[in-house]
Amino acid sequence: MDTVQNLLPYLVVAAVVIAIVVFRTYGWSKVSPVTRGLVCPRCDQLALEITHQMKIDDDAWDEAALQAARCTSCGFTAAATYEESRRGRANSEVVHHTGIAMDETTYDDLASALDAENAEKGRELIKTAHDAGTPFQIEFRVDRRKTAGT
């Protein structure tokens, strides 16, 4: 019985935190809910999703990956490269997230090639798309929805 009484304050705090998260997430609050995501360059919605990813080793970057991306709103497809460095001054980071539009067939080929066995094919598909198209910066955006009366 002592164990339950000792844990009770922690359980209450955990329940309050969960209630706040649920309250904010589902829009039951007067405070504007927040939507975060990658911006589709075609429809400008926060609906661009990374569907497939393969991390790669790159001495110039702390994290690097080849990616396939698709917009859940308009169906736009792209290849992407993600590069992140946390070197340098404290609390400084550099992120390059670049996309290249590609047709559905090439996207499907890229998505199936993003694994360790087909890494070279994935790199070739992204390089070919990059050479043929115009790269764009993939934007991460935070939107606050307006609630009634604000």
Side-chain angles (χ1 to χ4, degrees), residues 18 24 29 46 54-55 57 66 70-71 96-100 103-104 110 117-118 129 142-143:
I18 290 170
R24 292 281 313 246
S29 166
L46 299 182
M54 179 179 66
K55 293 188 185 261
D57 292 327
L66 303 177
R70 177 189 303 270
C71 177
H96 295 280
H97 202 183
T98 307
I100 302 103
D103 62 62
E104 186 76 27
L110 176 64
E117 296 169 1
N118 296 316
V142 177
D143 284 349

Side-chain angles (χ1 to χ4, degrees), residues 29-105:
S29 166
K30 295 290 184 197
V31 178
S32 299
V34 176
T35 305
R36 298 171 181 84
L38 300 176
V39 179
C40 175
R42 182 187 293 162
C43 68
D44 198 42
Q45 300 294 312
L46 299 182
L48 189 65
E49 292 185 354
I50 304 303
T51 58
H52 299 82
Q53 174 172 278
M54 179 179 66
K55 293 188 185 261
I56 57 173
D57 292 327
D58 189 333
D59 292 336
W61 302 96
D62 294 320
E63 289 184 40
L66 303 177
Q67 303 170 326
R70 177 189 303 270
C71 177
T72 59
S73 180
C74 71
F76 174 79
T77 54
T81 56
Y82 179 84
E83 301 162 325
E84 179 179 349
S85 176
R86 293 176 293 280
R87 301 171 190 167
R89 296 186 328 243
N91 297 327
S92 69
E93 68 179 15
V94 174
V95 175
H96 295 280
H97 202 183
T98 307
I100 302 103
M102 58 179 25
D103 62 62
E104 186 76 27
T105 304

Side-chain angles (χ1 to χ4, degrees), residues 54 109-110 112-124:
M54 179 179 66
D109 291 344
L110 176 64
S112 66
L114 290 181
D115 60 33
E117 296 169 1
N118 296 316
E120 196 54 43
K121 182 180 178 186
R123 288 177 199 258
E124 287 175 22

